Amino acid sequence: MQAAVFDLDGVVTDTAKFHFQAWSKLAKEEFNLDLPASFETNLKGISRTESLEAILKFGDLLDKYSKEEVQNLANKKNDYYVEAISKLTKEDILPGITKLLTDLKANGVKLAVASASKNAPFILEKLGLAHVFDAVADPAKVNAGKPAPDIFLAGAKAVGVAPNQCVGVEDAIAGVSAIKAADMVAVAVGDKDELRQADCVVPTTRNFTYQLFSDVFDRYHK
């Protein structure tokens, strides 16, 4: 294992609640739509534009907005979201992650972020982790979002490591699919049945350790 390529939301920190709050606010203000709590799952691991399209489809409004209008609305949602995440601190790093990152670096493992969020650098800055990661893949520069492998391949390339020498870390089905499509070993956090495509699934980030990552990688490459 020469590199670990991390998703951000749900893996390093939990900003999903802020995303959904921002989408809910936009849906109510612009479309008079009340999004059910269960709808949050539909927006997990996909891009901003795809999320808005899913909301418009939910409200049977998809054909009523031009591409330019969709982009403007997506930007408005992002303003709400950025306002919320500006309050993030290192206290918002998920349990076990700080030690995991420290131990990976101590063992010479390169660290990259492969997130669909264009706000990843800003979030890492707020968490005090910007200096810890060696690279952040830019989602604006990849052809396709998850479950396509592009963002994880970009993360590996950014740290100069072959994909098959990387462990990818995720919490979403689309993300795990992207990791496997990139020919990486997949370690996931969340529901074991839902994320069964991963090579290893743990219930919480507290279970993440350097030894776990190393063992899963070695087992996969036997």
Side-chain angles (χ1 to χ4, degrees), residues 1-5 156 159 161-168 183-185 217:
M1 175 177 58
Q2 296 177 21
V5 187
V159 291
V161 175
N164 66 1
Q165 293 302 307
C166 298
V167 169
D183 194 27
M184 296 182 182
V185 174
F217 182 86

Side-chain angles (χ1 to χ4, degrees), residues 15-182:
T15 60
K17 58 188 175 187
F18 300 126
H19 275 298
F20 194 62
Q21 284 169 12
W23 282 125
S24 296
K25 183 177 180 181
L26 184 85
K28 187 65 178 172
E29 286 183 358
E30 298 291 335
F31 320 126
N32 198 29
L33 273 181
D34 291 307
L35 297 180
S38 59
F39 196 78
E40 185 174 352
T41 308
N42 299 43
L43 308 180
K44 203 171 182 181
I46 60 175
S47 73
R48 197 183 303 164
T49 305
E50 288 170 325
S51 295
L52 181 53
E53 286 172 352
I55 292 167
L56 291 172
K57 195 178 286 184
F58 171 76
D60 200 23
L61 298 165
L62 195 53
D63 300 330
K64 297 186 179 178
Y65 292 87
S66 68
K67 280 190 176 180
E68 187 180 356
E69 286 171 326
V70 166
Q71 192 56 56
N72 289 338
L73 287 165
N75 291 340
K76 188 172 184 180
K77 173 267 171 182
N78 193 55
D79 291 340
Y80 295 153
Y81 173 68
V82 170
E83 185 183 346
I85 61 173
S86 65
K87 301 177 180 70
L88 287 172
T89 70
K90 64 181 180 181
E91 301 302 318
D92 294 294
I93 300 171
L94 288 171
I97 292 298
T98 301
K99 178 166 173 42
L100 172 66
L101 296 175
T102 301
D103 291 349
L104 286 166
K105 282 192 86 80
N107 283 277
V109 178
K110 295 282 188 184
L111 302 176
V113 168
S115 170
S117 174
K118 293 173 185 172
N119 296 299
F122 178 70
I123 292 169
L124 291 174
E125 196 69 51
K126 287 301 194 179
L127 297 173
L129 292 176
H131 67 290
V132 176
F133 284 91
D134 300 293
V136 179
D138 184 353
K141 292 182 179 175
V142 300
N143 290 327
K146 305 169 188 178
D150 303 34
I151 193 77
F152 279 96
L153 292 172
K157 186 177 181 180
V159 291
V161 175
N164 66 1
Q165 293 302 307
C166 298
V167 169
V169 195
E170 263 286 356
D171 73 318
I173 297 169
V176 171
S177 296
I179 293 169
K180 297 308 295 179

